[in-house]
Amino acid sequence: KMALKQIYDIKGLKLKFGSKKALEINTLKFHNGLIYGVCGNFGSGKSSLLKVLSGLQKESGGDVLFQGDKFKTNFFGNIKKHKEIQYIHVEMLNESSGLLANYLKNNSTVEQFLKGMFSSKINQIKSRHFKHFSLEHLWKIPINKLSDGEKHWLKIVVGVEKDPRVLIIDDYGLHLDPKNEIILRKRLMKMNNILGTTIILS
């Protein structure tokens, strides 16, 4: 078997917020094309680690290499969003900002939201994600009428359909009922098998 290439290489990572230490990791490697679970107690730094991996949070010290390179930064020192990394997290549900904001305001349906993002493959998305009897009714529902679990599902659909090299999901399965979680797990495993996507879940 061929040796798997590293997609992340972390050395001496430190993350502090003021005097509070959020993370201290000597070495950590993630390999290309695998599925990882990051486990830990509440407040143990799982979300902080995923934010660092996604480039949303800059480390306080150490090296975080993605495909052998540090994340690029802009003039102000903020990390530029990497197009090959899709990060899904609870704040994306935030109504005042985030992914769904305009669609929540305009009373848009799930179909209208997905059409706005993926107009060319909307029929494939419908048959891929919404043909199961427990999910088909969501297609015509306004986004602001969705439960937290349904919004979480929708965010993951977007993450999957953006076809990233790395898909990072914080609080995976938090709001999902067991039936939908099983459907989603199959979808993620298929994505990993067929496309070789690296998937990191907390």
Side-chain angles (χ1 to χ4, degrees):
K1 251 189 163 180
M2 255 175 51
L4 285 170
K5 273 180 74 174
Q6 284 168 24
I7 198 155
Y8 285 103
D9 191 2
I10 293 165
K11 291 189 180 89
L13 170 64
K14 286 184 170 65
L15 181 63
K16 287 181 178 174
F17 300 109
S19 61
K20 186 180 178 292
K21 195 189 289 174
L23 286 175
E24 194 163 359
I25 297 171
N26 288 334
T27 57
L28 182 61
K29 297 176 196 302
F30 291 90
H31 291 87
N32 197 22
L34 297 181
I35 299 176
Y36 291 91
V38 179
C39 305
N41 296 333
F42 182 74
S44 61
K46 300 183 301 296
S47 294
S48 297
L49 174 62
L50 295 196
K51 281 180 181 168
V52 169
L53 294 176
S54 69
L56 204 71
Q57 175 70 56
K58 198 163 170 36
E59 65 279 7
S60 311
D63 287 324
V64 176
L65 303 181
F66 176 67
Q67 297 181 316
D69 294 312
K70 290 189 169 194
F71 287 122
K72 290 186 168 67
T73 54
N74 63 18
F75 179 74
F76 300 103
N78 299 319
I79 297 171
K80 291 179 180 174
K81 185 168 167 34
H82 202 294
K83 65 180 186 302
E84 292 191 330
I85 302 170
Q86 185 67 33
Y87 175 49
I88 293 166
H89 52 96
V90 171
E91 289 98 73
M92 286 168 80
L93 293 177
N94 188 332
E95 302 203 2
S96 59
S97 64
L99 190 66
L100 308 177
N102 289 334
Y103 295 94
L104 284 161
K105 267 197 299 242
N106 300 334
N107 219 13
S108 303
T109 62
V110 168
E111 179 184 16
Q112 288 165 330
F113 166 66
L114 290 169
K115 247 187 192 155
M117 296 196 85
F118 306 106
S119 58
S120 64
K121 55 176 181 173
I122 192 67
N123 293 332
Q124 293 101 298
I125 289 173
K126 186 179 183 182
S127 68
R128 261 201 291 268
H129 301 282
F130 296 90
K131 70 174 180 215
H132 194 275
F133 69 90
S134 68
L135 295 161
E136 60 187 359
H137 69 285
L138 296 180
W139 193 244
K140 296 288 183 191
I141 290 182
I143 288 176
N144 54 16
K145 298 276 191 293
L146 297 178
S147 70
D148 279 352
E150 289 161 348
K151 283 181 190 164
H152 191 63
W153 167 267
L154 185 57
K155 287 181 314 181
I156 294 171
V157 167
V158 170
V160 167
E161 289 300 333
K162 282 197 167 177
D163 188 16
R165 184 83 185 275
V166 179
L167 179 62
I168 299 173
I169 307 176
D170 199 4
D171 290 324
Y172 170 76
L174 180 67
H175 300 293
L176 295 175
D177 69 57
K179 234 184 305 180
N180 290 349
E181 190 279 321
I182 289 166
I183 297 166
L184 184 57
R185 195 188 320 168
K186 284 180 181 163
R187 171 65 48 204
L188 293 176
M189 286 168 81
K190 198 170 176 186
M191 186 183 185
N192 170 259
N193 277 328
I194 294 169
L195 302 171
T197 313
T198 304
I199 298 172
I200 304 171
L201 314 169
S202 82

